[in-house]
Amino acid sequence: MTEPANAATPDRPQPKPWVAAIHAYVPGKSTGADGQALIKLSANENPLGTSAAAQAARHDAGDQARYPDPDSVALRQALGALHGIAPQRLVMGTGSDELLNLAAQAYAGPGDDVVYVRYGFSVYDIAARRCGAMPIVAPDTDYGTDVDALLAAVTPATRVVFLANPNNPTGSYIGRDAIARLHAGLRPDILLVIDQAYAEYVDAAVDDGALALAASATNVLVTRTFSKIYGLAGERVGWATGDAALVDMLNRIRGPFNLSLSAQATALAAVGDQEFVAASRDHNTRERARFVASLTALGNHGVRPLPSEANFVLIEFTGALTAQSAYLGLMDHGYITRWLPGQGLPQCLRITIGTAAQMDEIADALAQMAGSAA
Ligand SMILES: *Cc1c(COP(=O)(O)O)cnc(C)c1O
């Protein structure tokens, strides 16, 4: 027999208030308003697809009736060899998304602050809120990461600082000295999570030193992903590295079989095909430079590409052509890009670097729209 409900008893399960306050993540779209398929340059996927070796490995991944290796041993060994990291200091995640959430969950909770920069990756707000912590947003400088502002936003309640470098959606990047200064300015009990989802696109000459910092400091976690340059977004594979104690905590709370059979097999094959990675980086560097040059030529129309070290460009529109009209106009040309009013950027459009032909078509369309809007 159940007790009769009294007036104070809710008539349904009550979500935790911090969960009810979350705005669900908005993924990049692949269709227009009327459902027609569009060329998708809205989610920073690899226009070259994925490595042929990874595709082949998917068909040969193993016995689907069996659980996968819970510790992704072969994959961690391959990653460790590639990056010079002991496999014990690597933890795999169902995308780096899982790891970002686990980092917040392990080190922050109700009453704690989680700090990140304005226009930071939208998952940080969700990661902070879902463990009951308070997201604190530090001001940017011209859309970029401002280390002093980040440090100034830290309070005695701060437990975690998230920094994407390069950042999404801005493409901005801070160098080794700035990262070192940020780390040096944080209390040792604050976890600094450096999200390097786009690190492989960055010229090695301007490496931000995050992996070296994760190898030596006790409070730095670096996350990486197979979703971007490796072209395996559909397989959901990410990894993190840091002090053994940090890796241990994430291992305790991750899903026990978080990487599927095909996720492990395809990522392992992808690690073995660094030629594909290099070709993807070269393509991106070349096409991004060409695209930025064509946008810079539209400066007198109030079109401004922001500096990007990633596989996308954020464009600010301050002239007669608005970001919204450009977004809708590109849809008429068959392209879906990312307009960002939901992230406080109604004046901006984020466009993923696609193939050379796609970038030519988009640059021409934007030039034509900017010209006729004036
Ligand atoms: C795309 C992206 C990720 C990757 O997420 P996955 O879960 O690994 O697909 C992480 N951080 C940032 C900043 C990103 O843009």
Side-chain angles (χ1 to χ4, degrees):
M1 275 279 289
T2 53
E3 298 289 321
N6 66 41
T9 304
D11 68 346
R12 64 196 67 195
Q14 298 296 294
K16 288 297 166 192
W18 52 84
V19 171
I22 290 174
H23 296 281
Y25 181 77
V26 182
K29 294 187 172 68
S30 51
T31 54
D34 55 2
Q36 88 275 25
L38 295 167
I39 295 171
K40 188 183 178 196
L41 296 179
S42 62
N44 303 339
E45 293 149 338
N46 190 331
L48 306 185
T50 190
S51 148
Q55 290 174 43
R58 185 184 188 187
H59 297 287
D60 219 10
D63 183 353
Q64 289 173 307
R66 303 286 173 190
Y67 279 103
D69 174 2
D71 298 316
S72 303
V73 171
L75 179 53
R76 285 190 303 119
Q77 276 171 351
L79 278 172
L82 178 67
H83 293 285
I85 303 170
Q88 315 83 270
R89 296 190 40 149
L90 291 168
V91 52
M92 304 306 302
T94 309
S96 47
D97 241 47
E98 181 187 24
L99 298 162
L100 296 168
N101 279 294
L102 295 180
Q105 190 189 345
Y107 293 96
D112 297 333
D113 289 349
V114 170
V115 173
Y116 56 91
V117 71
R118 188 171 175 217
Y119 311 129
F121 187 38
S122 54
V123 161
Y124 306 153
D125 178 84
I126 298 173
R129 289 182 194 278
R130 75 184 228 176
C131 63
M134 178 73 77
I136 304 275
V137 178
D140 61 299
T141 297
D142 192 23
Y143 301 98
T145 297
D146 181 331
V147 169
D148 296 308
L150 266 178
L151 290 173
V154 168
T155 73
T158 301
R159 299 289 173 265
V160 177
V161 172
F162 280 115
L163 173 68
N165 202 45
N167 184 40
N168 172 17
T170 60
S172 67
Y173 186 70
I174 61 172
R176 181 180 287 259
D177 293 349
I179 292 275
R181 198 158 61 81
L182 171 61
H183 178 246
L186 294 174
R187 297 192 315 267
D189 67 304
I190 296 175
L191 175 66
L192 173 60
V193 181
I194 305 175
D195 174 349
Q196 287 200 314
Y198 303 96
E200 298 90 347
Y201 289 106
V202 177
D203 189 332
V206 293
D207 176 72
D208 66 5
L211 280 183
L213 202 54
S216 60
T218 50
N219 65 333
V220 175
L221 192 76
V222 167
T223 61
R224 293 277 187 107
T225 183
F226 282 81
S227 300
K228 305 289 158 57
I229 208 163
Y230 283 100
L232 285 173
E235 294 288 353
R236 315 302 306 125
V237 185
W239 55 275
T241 185
D243 187 74
L246 302 178
V247 169
D248 176 34
M249 284 307 135
L250 299 201
N251 267 320
R252 293 181 197 208
I253 56 174
R254 71 176 168 85
F257 298 99
N258 58 349
L259 260 61
S260 73
L261 214 54
S262 97
Q264 292 185 42
T266 53
L268 179 62
V271 170
D273 189 356
Q274 290 300 312
E275 269 179 42
F276 176 81
V277 173
S280 298
R281 176 170 42 245
D282 291 348
H283 168 85
N284 187 69
T285 304
R286 187 173 60 245
E287 291 308 320
R288 188 182 60 206
R290 272 191 344 110
F291 187 49
V292 166
S294 67
L295 294 168
T296 304
L298 304 178
N300 56 333
H301 295 287
V303 176
R304 177 169 74 120
L306 295 166
S308 172
E309 291 292 333
N311 67 342
F312 56 84
V313 177
L314 189 72
I315 310 167
E316 183 196 48
F317 294 80
T318 52
L321 176 65
T322 64
Q324 182 177 22
S325 325
Y327 171 71
L328 296 172
L330 288 175
M331 239 189 253
D332 290 338
H333 281 84
Y335 290 94
I336 184 94
T337 61
R338 192 78 188 252
W339 179 42
L340 295 157
Q343 286 185 57
L345 292 166
Q347 74 282 26
C348 293
L349 208 55
R350 190 194 70 191
I351 302 184
T352 304
I353 300 301
T355 65
Q358 290 167 356
M359 299 327 285
D360 282 343
E361 200 176 349
I362 287 181
D364 287 351
L366 287 173
Q368 182 246 312
M369 284 189 263
S372 56

